[in-house]
Amino acid sequence: MSRNDGGMQAVLSPFGESVPPQPSPVKPRRTKDIRDAATSIDYSQEPTQYLHNHLRGAAIDGKVTLCRYIAEMLVKGRKERPSLQLYNTLILSNIGYEQGAAWRVAELLDDLEKDGLQPDIGTCHAALKVLSVHVDHLLRNDVLHYMSRRWYQLSEDGAHDVAAGLLREGLFEQGVERLDIMRREGMRIQGWLLDMAVYILCEASEVSEAYRIMRQRVDTGELNLNRGLWLFFLDKASDARHHAATTLAWNAQVNQNFLNPSSGICLNVLATASQAADAVMATDVFTNLSRRGTTFKPIHYELLINTYLSQEEPDIQRALSILTIMALEKVEPTPAETRSLYMYMRDKPGLLPQALSVLHDLHDQGRRVPIAALNLLMECYVDQSNLADALKLYKQIHTFVPISEGAKKTFANIETFNLLLKGCRTVEPPDEHQASFLVSELLALRIKPTALTYDRLILLFVKAGLSSIQRATGMEDPASRTKLQARGTELLDWSFRHFADMRPLGWLPRFGTLEDLSVALAKAGDAHCWDVLQVAEDNADSIDGWVMKGGQVRRNVEKAWATSGGDGRTDQESDAGDDRTGQDEVERHQLDTAVAA
């Protein structure tokens, strides 16, 4: 082989003497290690064997340019012929992360063939090692195919390099399959490769495969697994809600006091336990957080409640007891923490007496039963259209007042009354009289109404008014029919008055309430429907859904108005409306005063 035949390009190899440099993706740089070597070591005075030894050391360290510098001196200065040993060393030098590149390996392999040499097993393994860092799927396949044709045996190090390259390239299925082949062939897979596989698979959200690897390592008794790896594995497994993987990491490390995960990871573990109905692990998380003095937030208790309710046999008693623990820890439960209980009990009427009995038992044990727990049961009764039992429970609220707070008539809150007002609307027929009683109770207890209170009063009176008018149409007695029609008109007028009372307070009803109110008034021929519609259109941006559906509401109102024939109130009904200055008027004024206060 001639050193002047252009087998290696001058810019890529030291072997060419007169071939001009070829363009490359990365311009070679004369790095500091070469300058130091050139100034501190006079390679021209060193023996050839020293240069070969130094070349191999520099290749292992991934010093590409230094290796080329020494190789050029051997070829040009010492007149050595290019050999497989030199090529293998130059290929291996590309293992460095910063200076190495897969395209250089491909160029060197081409130059090797042009120089009349055939890659040996050392060449192939050097290339595979570089490709484990600088991935190139096609080149790797070419090398493996060449080895297969030449009956070259892949060494254990080579198998590690192939698996690492596949994983780094994102070919997870092939990478894991390669690990399985190595295990079946009895190879001892080094820890660094398994660690890397777990890191890469977890980062790619392939937690199940990462768990399989970690499970095998634990089962085979592998000791001293990296703590950082365990923490990363626990973080990713709990974030993915992978119960088996989370349990493995938690039991192997946290329960053994080897790891102390962050509060965020603990919250993810708790969410995983909740999803899998693992009450043991959920309790362990609470114990771990308690030891470090963590201040529990509502989300922690909510997840613990979900855990007990997700079990094969839901534990209502424990779930309800969590609400009393929250009260004990001065974390007042809200409707958000009772949603899972509500979803479970709302369609099980037979379960509500049992739940009430549990709350009585907890109260007898000295536990503070929060109003949210009682509101939960009332909400379930209302959802089942069982207003009678909801009111019965309301009248028992005073029996749950903590002894430390002394004698109280009740400790109901505005949520209690809003639920009961909803119950008055959902029963058939709507019970406006009971609603009036509840408003009187609310005022007597000096509880401040909310926008939802007005909203539900509007819906209640709309439904009650339409119900009265509908029943009047089926009556044969003119006097009774006129009386019912007058009552229906009166109730609709009251619904509009509650709407009008909301405006000075800066409140607006919800989209559905505005639609129901305006259409109902239009059906009754009440011109106030246009007032409601105008207010809604003026505040379209503040009402969810009005921009998209407001046009349809207007069309519905116009259609209802055309059907009713305009202002359809009779003289008797108008007189009845003018005389509505009794108890209802007083209560409405008191309701507005309570809000203003």
Side-chain angles (χ1 to χ4, degrees):
M1 180 201 69
S2 172
R3 292 191 298 273
N4 297 324
D5 60 3
M8 282 190 173
Q9 304 301 326
V11 77
L12 299 175
S13 165
F15 305 149
E17 296 179 348
S18 60
V19 178
Q22 301 296 317
S24 62
V26 179
K27 182 178 179 180
R29 296 178 299 168
R30 189 170 181 81
T31 55
K32 186 176 184 296
D33 58 358
I34 288 183
R35 291 197 301 271
D36 290 344
T39 55
S40 62
I41 300 177
D42 186 0
Y43 288 104
S44 63
Q45 303 301 318
E46 299 294 340
T48 300
Q49 187 58 43
Y50 173 84
L51 293 180
H52 279 288
N53 293 338
H54 200 71
L55 179 62
R56 285 193 291 269
I60 293 173
D61 291 339
K63 298 179 180 179
V64 175
T65 49
L66 178 58
C67 288
R68 291 178 59 243
Y69 177 82
I70 296 174
E72 183 177 359
M73 178 171 290
L74 287 170
V75 173
K76 292 183 177 181
R78 304 297 168 90
K79 306 303 180 182
E80 286 196 6
R81 295 177 61 85
S83 64
L84 281 177
Q85 181 182 3
L86 281 177
Y87 271 108
N88 293 351
T89 306
L90 288 172
I91 290 173
L92 183 61
S93 69
N94 284 277
I95 196 173
Y97 178 77
E98 293 183 353
Q99 298 181 22
W103 62 265
R104 286 202 187 96
V105 174
E107 293 283 357
L108 287 168
L109 290 173
D110 289 342
D111 291 343
L112 183 149
E113 293 183 0
K114 290 177 182 178
D115 284 338
L117 301 175
Q118 290 293 324
D120 63 1
I121 191 169
T123 310
C124 296
H125 280 91
L128 291 175
K129 189 169 290 293
V130 173
L131 295 175
S132 70
V133 178
H134 306 284
V135 293
D136 187 322
H137 180 66
L138 295 178
L139 183 55
R140 185 191 306 109
N141 283 347
D142 289 343
V143 173
L144 291 174
H145 182 64
Y146 175 83
M147 292 180 69
S148 177
R149 286 192 292 108
R150 298 299 295 265
W151 296 91
Y152 289 157
Q153 186 69 32
L154 188 66
S155 67
E156 287 196 8
D157 283 346
H160 281 70
D161 293 333
V162 172
L166 291 170
L167 290 170
R168 281 197 173 114
E169 199 169 0
L171 302 174
F172 305 125
E173 185 175 348
Q174 296 180 37
V176 172
E177 183 180 1
R178 175 66 64 172
L179 292 176
D180 291 339
I181 292 173
M182 294 168 64
R183 191 174 287 107
R184 287 197 299 269
E185 292 178 352
M187 291 187 188
R188 182 182 177 276
I189 305 177
Q190 297 178 28
W192 68 265
L193 178 59
L194 295 175
D195 287 354
M196 187 185 75
V198 172
Y199 278 119
I200 291 177
L201 290 170
C202 285
E203 196 64 47
S205 300
E206 297 287 346
V207 178
S208 294
E209 288 296 338
Y211 163 69
R212 190 166 68 89
I213 293 173
M214 294 296 287
R215 179 81 266 174
Q216 289 171 344
R217 299 179 76 177
V218 171
D219 291 343
T220 55
E222 186 173 347
L223 302 176
N224 301 322
L225 290 176
N226 186 275
R227 296 280 183 268
L229 175 67
W230 274 116
L231 185 61
F232 182 81
F233 179 62
L234 176 61
D235 183 18
K236 293 298 183 179
S238 60
D239 187 55
R241 304 295 185 264
H242 195 292
H243 180 246
T246 304
T247 303
L248 174 65
W250 185 269
N251 291 339
Q253 296 296 304
V254 182
N255 280 350
Q256 304 301 323
N257 295 323
F258 294 137
L259 283 182
N260 187 24
S262 67
S263 298
I265 293 178
C266 287
L267 183 59
N268 279 338
V269 174
L270 182 58
T272 303
S274 173
Q275 182 174 294
D278 188 344
V280 175
M281 187 162 69
T283 305
D284 286 344
V285 173
F286 262 77
T287 302
N288 181 277
L289 292 173
S290 297
R291 282 202 302 262
R292 68 176 72 172
T294 300
T295 301
F296 292 109
K297 297 180 180 179
I299 183 63
H300 294 98
Y301 297 104
E302 182 181 349
L303 290 172
L304 190 56
I305 291 172
N306 293 344
T307 303
Y308 289 121
L309 292 179
S310 300
Q311 293 176 324
E312 188 174 346
E313 295 183 3
D315 194 335
I316 296 296
Q317 182 173 355
R318 286 184 180 275
L320 288 171
S321 69
I322 300 300
L323 297 177
T324 64
I325 293 175
M326 292 179 68
L328 182 65
E329 296 294 329
K330 302 188 185 308
V331 180
E332 194 64 29
T334 66
E337 286 75 62
T338 62
R339 288 311 82 195
S340 55
L341 280 162
Y342 166 71
M343 295 298 293
Y344 178 70
M345 295 192 300
R346 64 177 181 175
D347 58 349
K348 300 177 179 63
L351 198 59
L352 297 181
Q354 175 188 343
L356 182 58
S357 176
V358 169
L359 293 179
H360 276 298
D361 292 342
L362 291 170
H363 178 71
D364 293 341
Q365 295 170 16
R367 298 279 192 92
R368 180 176 176 270
V369 178
I371 187 61
L374 299 171
N375 287 344
L376 164 68
L377 300 187
M378 278 187 276
E379 186 175 8
C380 291
Y381 280 128
V382 167
D383 201 60
Q384 297 163 11
S385 298
N386 188 351
L387 180 60
D389 283 342
L391 290 169
K392 182 179 178 181
L393 176 57
Y394 165 73
K395 294 174 182 178
Q396 296 179 27
I397 287 181
H398 70 280
T399 63
F400 290 93
V401 176
I403 298 176
S404 60
E405 297 185 12
K408 281 186 178 181
K409 181 179 179 181
T410 184
F411 67 126
N413 58 13
I414 189 59
E415 178 68 22
T416 309
F417 288 99
N418 287 342
L419 287 171
L420 293 173
L421 288 174
K422 179 182 177 181
C424 293
R425 176 177 63 85
T426 55
V427 294
E428 292 294 342
D431 195 341
E432 68 274 13
H433 300 292
Q434 191 64 60
S436 298
F437 162 75
L438 291 172
V439 171
S440 300
E441 285 276 292
L442 182 150
L443 296 172
L445 295 172
R446 297 185 177 181
I447 296 175
K448 189 175 180 179
T450 63
L452 184 60
T453 309
Y454 281 93
D455 192 290
R456 289 189 168 165
L457 283 171
I458 292 171
L459 289 173
L460 168 66
F461 286 120
V462 165
K463 187 176 180 181
L466 291 177
S467 177
S468 295
I469 293 173
Q470 184 177 7
R471 283 186 286 126
T473 58
M475 303 191 88
E476 296 181 357
D477 180 35
S480 300
R481 183 170 62 251
T482 301
K483 183 178 179 181
L484 267 180
Q485 286 178 339
R487 178 59 176 169
T489 303
E490 178 184 12
L491 293 171
L492 288 176
D493 190 57
W494 267 99
S495 66
F496 175 77
R497 292 194 182 196
H498 282 299
F499 165 77
D501 291 340
M502 294 180 73
R503 299 292 297 121
L505 302 173
W507 292 337
L508 283 170
R510 295 169 293 180
F511 172 84
T513 305
L514 287 167
E515 181 178 19
D516 289 350
L517 175 60
S518 57
V519 172
L521 291 172
K523 285 181 179 180
D526 192 330
H528 285 137
C529 65
W530 306 113
D531 297 332
V532 175
L533 198 60
Q534 187 62 49
V535 170
E537 291 175 344
D538 290 343
N539 297 273
D541 293 337
S542 304
I543 303 169
D544 290 339
W546 193 271
V547 173
M548 295 293 293
K549 303 177 183 178
Q552 183 61 45
V553 174
R554 170 168 281 278
R555 287 190 290 272
N556 292 339
V557 172
E558 291 172 348
K559 182 179 178 180
W561 179 261
T563 303
S564 69
D567 191 348
R569 293 194 299 174
T570 63
D571 293 339
Q572 294 93 332
E573 292 166 0
S574 299
D575 292 341
D578 295 337
D579 292 338
R580 290 192 292 270
T581 56
Q583 182 63 31
D584 287 342
E585 181 69 34
V586 173
E587 288 178 358
R588 188 176 67 85
H589 176 71
Q590 291 176 338
L591 194 64
D592 296 340
T593 304
V595 177

